[in-house]
Amino acid sequence: MAEKPTRRSVRYATKKPAKKAGFHWFRNLLLIGFVAGGFVLMSYLGYLDYNVRNQFDGKRWAIPARVYADPVELYAGYNISAEKLEELLQTLNYRKDAQLSLEGSYFRTEQQIRVKTRQFEFWDELQESQSVKLTFNETGIGSIVAQGPFENGGPAAEIPIIRMDPVQIGNFYPTIKEDRILIKLSDAPDALVKGLLASEDRDFYQHFGVSMRGIARAMWANVRAGDMVQGGSTITQQLAKNFYLSSERKLSRKLKEMLMALILEYRYPKDAIMEAYLNEIYLGQDGANGVHGFGLASEFYFGNTLKDLPLDQVALLVALVRGPSEYDPRRYPDRALQRRNLVLDEMAMQKYITEGEAMAAKAKPLSVIPRKHRTHNRYPGFLELVKRQLKADYREEDFTSEGLKIFTTLDTQIQETVEKTAAAKLRELEKLPKANDLETAIIVTRKDSGEIVALVSGRENAEGGFNRALDAVRPIGSLIKPAVYLTALEDPKKYTITTRVSDSSITIRGQNGTDWTPKNYDHREHGSVPLHKALAKSYNLATVRIGMDIGIAKTAKTLKQLGVNKEVDLYPSLLLGASSLTPMDVTQMYQTIAGGGFLTPIKAIRAVISSDDKHLQSYPFNVKETVDPDATYIVNTILQEVMREGTGNSAYNAFPKDYGLAGKTGTTNDAKDSWFAGYTGDYLSVVWVGRDDNKPIGLTGATGALPIWTALMRQISTQPVTLDQPENIRMLAVDACGHGREYPYIAGSEPGIRPCEKQTDGSGPEDEEKPWFEPFERFIPD
């Protein structure tokens, strides 16, 4: 028979199972927490792993495009002085060195300059570094000889031409203002890698991303020195911090950095990590742009490529890793020198260099170049044009992040001349009444190719400002007249260079019933005049009569054939330039006229190559006949008459009388806009002067824009104009007395030669040819 349980036994029996249940509950809670924590940790590691691999395997950096000016090509006879060439070399950050021990060095002795050029990958060839000696005479370069080692004289052989590496004029940056020059580990100097190992991470090739021994060693060294002389972070940790994380000082960020370092070491080989580190590490600040990587830092501090740096300069770059601001060699040279020497000592301690090598390097000065701000907007007006032309072939995110090299047509020497000349002449003009707060836009092209060598977008030519050269739409006044006369001369049965035209009052009734009665600038009528004189003297009334006879639409068509793509209003006032164009439009128009009727699209880019030097895009010389070359030739001879005897004659106060200048002045109503467009044998230039608020400036084309054009072209032009006469042109004197000059006619349109008839003033026969139509008071267009 079973024993009946007591109260006590029942109490104990029920309590023991309760205690056991509580233990199981606690154990299960721990287990759940452990599993959940493990799941969260693994999920977080997976998340970090994804981010690390996604960026490391993909496009690691958004590399800005580098924009270069047109490279200077030197040859015997090139018009440049020793002083100007030295200025160019200094702009290119060449350093003085009598031994020419490195690429990018030069040495001048009076009228001789020895240069060791840099190796450079152009769009059409790789140019190797070479040592040359240039000798100068009173006209420029007398000779160029290739040199051997200078210490023993070396062999000397004349070379025909040498192309200098181009001036970098800017960058197109992505949203993040970082810049870098990518290098491969194989291209890095051996001293650089060893310096990093000695000073930053001695166990790099042994640890797995985090080095406890390194942390302990750094702590002990810092305690002994009483200062921060070593860091505990590995190179892999530094890469993780720079590549993925912010620089905030928090324990959570440090733990994340360590986890990412472990992932990097697990996923990638050591050399890949080292190469990424060389390109990522922050080493200074250039204005608003961070200097990242040793490739760019080498140029920023020493003006030379990384592969050419000597040991002392490599050690200084390594020293900057610890703190680019704290050890900035330009601001704190003593501090930087001390840190550089410590790096050299550590390299010697690790047997990477000898004690003698360390002592020799420590004896050298810092030798950093003066700060030259590597701005991305050195010539902002021109760079804006480059960007717009690039958008025709590339997305903006491509040319701001793919590290493209963009070779442009800009001539930095001419650009500087234009800017200085414009500033000086505007100050002079503003001394005149009403000429206040003047602005300007100037475009200069090569006459034969349409390549833009200089562009000024405004008085300040500042970044972000209104680009008047590209966007200022202003009435062009008499600049349109050559298009009117060209249209007329394309019909040689009706118009020739000596056809008499009526410069007399005319009133035109518009479709809305309003009358338009144009006036000449001098408010006079000049009667019956030959066509060439009407253009040379810029007579409005004669121009309107011709334009109305040939038709406004035909003139508009000629404008389009000359390269003006902007739609114009077909009103009679178009004939006097009431329609508005930009300076760029005008430049294209006159480029075609100067080209003899062959349209050559003006351009700012030569070629584009990728970051790995693969040729991507060329912008070849394209030319197309769009207007009659015979009629264009006649117009060009009249534009030369404009400069000899017409509204542009003041230019010959600065030029030789036989220079053959061709050009046209332009003035708009109330003298609000002053224009001049013209060319010499080598350059074409368009100048606009006015005010942004469109108020009168009291200047005509001859008194405002022309003086700037003349002062500019006198400095840059070396070739007079020589017009190429087409085969279908016949030159003929208008009389047989010996007093008349020859004029060009399209074959078949030549007038007969009249016999000599003595006049009362002894000047020869008076041309009594009647106007081809009688003057009339009113013309109502169809």
Side-chain angles (χ1 to χ4, degrees), residues 443-447 479 586-587 590-591 593-594 636 639-640 642-643 651 660-665 675-687 705-706 709-710 712-713 716 721:
I443 301 174
V444 184
T445 67
R446 299 189 193 279
K447 171 182 165 289
L479 290 189
V586 173
T587 303
Y590 275 81
Q591 188 75 43
I593 294 173
N636 277 317
L639 292 180
Q640 289 183 313
V642 170
M643 304 303 288
L661 299 173
K664 186 71 188 74
T665 54
W675 290 89
F676 188 83
Y679 62 90
T680 61
D682 40 9
Y683 297 108
L684 179 146
S685 181
V686 171
V687 179
L706 178 57
W709 184 93
T710 303
L712 163 65
M713 298 295 268
I716 67 174
V721 176

Side-chain angles (χ1 to χ4, degrees), residues 260-285:
M260 283 186 158
L262 292 171
I263 292 171
L264 281 169
E265 292 276 354
Y266 176 75
R267 291 290 185 186
Y268 303 101
K270 290 284 187 178
D271 284 351
I273 294 172
M274 177 62 80
E275 184 174 276
Y277 179 83
L278 295 178
N279 288 304
E280 171 60 26
I281 193 69
Y282 172 71
L283 293 171
Q285 194 70 25

Side-chain angles (χ1 to χ4, degrees), residues 666-693:
T667 310
T668 60
N669 288 344
D670 301 322
K672 293 178 180 178
D673 299 273
S674 171
W675 290 89
F676 188 83
Y679 62 90
T680 61
D682 40 9
Y683 297 108
L684 179 146
S685 181
V686 171
V687 179
W688 168 83
V689 177
R691 287 176 54 138
D692 287 339
D693 59 10

Side-chain angles (χ1 to χ4, degrees), residues 182-190 192 275 278 306-308:
L182 296 182
I183 61 170
K184 295 180 179 179
L185 181 60
S186 57
D187 296 331
D190 186 56
L192 174 61
E275 184 174 276
L278 295 178
L306 183 63
K307 66 183 180 64
D308 293 323

Side-chain angles (χ1 to χ4, degrees), residues 380-381 384 457 461-468 471:
E384 176 62 25
S457 59
N461 209 28
E463 181 184 15
F466 180 53
N467 195 321
R468 296 164 186 82
D471 300 323

